[in-house]
Amino acid sequence: MEAAHWIYLSGIVIIIAVMIARKNVVIPAVAATFLTAWVFTGSFVTGLESIFNASLTAASELFSIFLIIALVTALLGSLRALGADRRMVEPFRVVMRSGHSAFWVLAAVTYVISLFFWPTPAVPLMGAILLPAAIAAGLPPISAGVAIAIAGQGMALSSDYVIQVAPGLSAKAAGVQTGAVADRAMVLSLITGLVALGIGYLMTRSEFRRPDAALLERWEAGESEMEAPAPRRSLIRVLPRRRVLQPEPAAAGGGDGGVAVLDHGPGSGSGSGGSSNVPGDAGEASDEMTRRALSSLDGGDAPGADCPRRSKAFAAIVPLALIGLVGYMMLGKFTGLVPEVVGGDAAALVGGVATALLLAAAIAKDGRGSLERCADHIVDGLVFAMKAMGVVIPIAGFFFIGNADFAGKIMGMEEGAQAPGFLFDAVVRMQDAIPDSQYVVGFGVLIIGMITGLDGSGFSGLPLTGSLAGSLGPASGVDPALLAAIGQMGCVWAGGGVLVAWSSLIAVAGFARVPVLDLVRRSFLPVIAGLVVATVVGLIIY
């Protein structure tokens, strides 16, 4: 390997170490991108250009995810203005009576939808319908993100049992039947997913809260932490000047807090009345929080109070439209009545439906003013998506430069020139060091699959792990189809959107409104434990 390969590998090690240390990895990623390109091309200027080109390439590849986050967020904003969001989640409280039931309902529904249509269209559906209900039931946003990511991006996508793109790639490279790989991958994915969900549930259940609509209000206002207890609606303490209703801290020993009115007049300090966690302009946020709190106490001017019929109508229209969308996809999958819609087309269909519903809700709420309000909702959605997920772009750019499909473009190489595959070249060198022991071979293929998934693409490493399975399986006495399935687990669970932050996991984090790196850290231990258990069980039973 050349010097640029070692610089790239060093960058990966540093980034992983910084993530473990709970620090942001933008600076290491940008520095590693620059040094890799500079050393490989020998041009300092090309190294600087590669910083920009890498981020631009990552942005173009990830923008579809950003856009669907923005559109569904805009839809939720228009529904909130109508007051339909609260009405929409009411029916789900029948099954989501607590954070505990909400966790498993989220996981189950996400798995079923993702199994048939991949997680890309499933995540927006969860974000629009079930996630607000789960938050109101007491499930912390980070726990909701863990449930959705493990069930959809991991458990469903790693088997890909229905669409069978992943098993097909693995089987073709390994020289075995697709059905054999698919069957083994389904078993391994279920073991990995159930172990990961179980550990994830046990790790976060102490953070679950009692059901309360105030939890949803706090989440919608941008407060992702669920530590503060829900406010009690029986105590209002009024202070002079401009006032903001905010929950008081609970007394020692537990119990509900009260609702305090915080002073934001001149000279406010950092004490009891000195600051507010409400984001945005202080005056507007104060008035909005006051209006919301008073309306919840006395039934006054709540969102949608001036148009209850339209609010009720859209509370029914939106879920029915999304359920109809799922039904349309199922017709395409199992019948010839309509064209089959999968992958990127399915995501585009979800985004189009969300936009149409957004326009209809804006017109129903504001009438003539809908031209401005609809644009405002879309801008708010785009701002939220970029603010929450934009930091991922330079990180993804570093891993894209390690992929031969993007490296040439990033480093400005001439068209037709052989682009380097820094990551894959290193993995190919590692395969010769794997002994012929069954367990060493199994875990070796798993680790190689996880390494190839570091570029954020769950399927790009499948030809490599499949080839390794076909060559190492007969020599070690392990079924090549099983080895191909194990490699598929490593590729997809890592790169498909659970263990790396620069993958489609950003969509899950975006809808849950939690930092994507925090979601990776919460998911890491459960997923690794699940992969280890699944690999061992697979080697035993097959």
Side-chain angles (χ1 to χ4, degrees):
M1 293 192 298
E2 300 178 2
H5 289 79
W6 292 110
I7 291 175
Y8 185 81
L9 292 177
S10 299
I12 292 177
V13 172
I14 292 172
I15 286 174
I16 293 174
V18 172
M19 288 181 63
I20 293 174
R22 302 177 65 86
K23 303 295 182 182
N24 198 291
V25 299
V26 170
I27 291 179
V30 171
T33 301
F34 166 70
L35 291 174
T36 301
W38 180 16
V39 171
F40 181 80
T41 62
S43 172
F44 180 83
V45 174
T46 301
L48 292 175
E49 292 174 347
S50 296
I51 296 175
F52 175 81
N53 289 336
S55 295
L56 181 62
T57 301
S60 64
E61 292 294 319
L62 298 175
F63 185 71
S64 60
I65 297 175
F66 280 64
L67 185 58
I68 200 166
I69 291 174
L71 292 176
V72 175
T73 300
L75 170 62
L76 292 177
S78 65
L79 294 176
R80 190 178 306 120
L82 269 173
D85 60 333
R86 294 171 181 268
R87 299 181 188 274
M88 194 168 61
V89 302
E90 286 296 334
F92 294 101
R93 291 179 182 168
V94 175
V95 291
M96 290 186 176
R97 294 184 177 275
S98 67
H100 305 277
S101 60
F103 181 92
W104 295 106
V105 169
L106 266 182
V109 176
T110 301
Y111 176 73
V112 171
I113 295 178
S114 300
L115 194 62
F116 288 99
F117 313 113
W118 283 357
T120 307
V123 171
L125 296 176
M126 296 302 100
I129 299 296
L130 291 186
L131 193 53
I135 300 299
L139 186 67
I142 191 71
S143 302
V146 168
I148 293 174
I150 291 176
Q153 321 293 111
M155 189 160 63
L157 189 60
S158 64
S159 69
D160 194 16
Y161 194 76
V162 176
I163 302 175
Q164 294 198 355
V165 173
L169 290 172
S170 298
K172 185 177 181 179
V176 296
Q177 294 295 320
T178 299
V181 176
D183 291 342
R184 287 155 178 76
M186 171 60 84
V187 174
L188 297 181
S189 69
L190 288 173
I191 295 172
T192 304
L194 292 175
V195 170
L197 284 172
I199 295 177
Y201 169 76
L202 293 175
M203 288 175 59
T204 61
R205 65 176 182 173
S206 62
E207 302 173 13
F208 293 2
R209 295 290 178 260
R210 289 179 298 177
D212 197 320
L215 297 173
L216 181 57
E217 292 180 7
R218 198 173 299 138
W219 178 71
E220 290 178 338
E223 301 177 33
S224 61
E225 293 296 329
M226 305 288 286
E227 300 300 329
R232 187 173 63 225
R233 296 180 174 178
S234 59
L235 173 63
I236 299 182
R237 177 166 50 84
V238 181
L239 298 178
R241 292 169 288 186
R242 186 163 53 188
R243 301 180 295 276
V244 178
L245 285 168
Q246 182 168 321
E248 290 182 339
D256 292 340
V259 178
V261 183
L262 303 184
D263 185 2
H264 284 277
S268 295
S270 59
S272 62
S275 62
S276 172
N277 291 328
V278 182
D281 179 78
E284 294 178 1
S286 300
D287 294 341
E288 175 66 10
M289 286 288 288
T290 302
R291 185 183 63 77
R292 282 192 177 192
L294 290 176
S295 66
S296 67
L297 290 168
D298 58 21
D301 184 24
D306 57 338
C307 47
R309 292 183 180 178
R310 283 168 283 178
S311 174
K312 292 179 180 178
F314 274 87
I317 290 172
V318 172
L320 289 176
L322 296 179
I323 292 172
L325 179 60
V326 173
Y328 179 86
M329 292 180 179
M330 293 182 70
L331 284 176
K333 182 65 184 176
F334 298 110
T335 72
L337 298 177
V338 297
E340 185 175 1
V341 183
V342 295
D345 292 338
L349 184 59
V350 171
V353 170
T355 305
L357 292 172
L358 160 65
L359 299 179
I363 292 172
K365 174 64 172 68
D366 297 296
R368 294 180 180 178
S370 61
L371 296 177
E372 286 74 22
R373 288 303 301 149
C374 184
D376 290 342
H377 288 313
I378 293 176
V379 170
D380 290 342
L382 287 169
V383 169
F384 170 78
M386 294 304 298
K387 185 176 180 180
M389 304 295 128
V391 71
V392 173
I393 290 176
I395 303 172
F398 166 71
F399 286 93
F400 280 177
I401 202 175
N403 190 323
D405 294 336
F406 303 106
K409 179 181 178 181
I410 291 173
M411 293 187 290
M413 299 176 64
E414 295 182 1
E415 190 171 350
Q418 181 63 39
F422 298 114
L423 187 59
F424 277 32
D425 291 346
V427 171
V428 170
R429 289 293 185 93
M430 290 171 55
Q431 66 175 320
D432 296 331
I434 301 177
D436 290 338
S437 166
Q438 290 188 357
Y439 287 95
V440 173
V441 168
F443 280 100
V445 172
L446 174 67
I447 292 171
I448 288 175
M450 295 174 66
I451 293 174
T452 61
L454 289 177
D455 66 352
S457 173
F459 289 2
S460 65
L462 294 179
L464 175 60
T465 56
S467 299
L468 289 176
S471 60
L472 296 177
S476 60
V478 181
D479 180 7
L482 173 62
L483 278 183
I486 291 174
Q488 184 174 308
M489 293 298 106
C491 290
V492 178
W493 279 92
V498 185
L499 295 182
V500 296
W502 41 92
S503 64
S504 55
L505 184 67
I506 61 177
V508 179
F511 286 114
R513 304 188 181 194
V514 296
V516 65
L517 292 179
D518 286 353
L519 187 54
V520 170
R521 295 186 188 103
R522 286 293 187 104
S523 305
F524 183 81
L525 180 60
V527 170
I528 294 298
L531 288 172
V532 170
V533 172
T535 302
V536 172
V537 172
L539 290 170
I540 292 174
I541 65 177
Y542 290 110

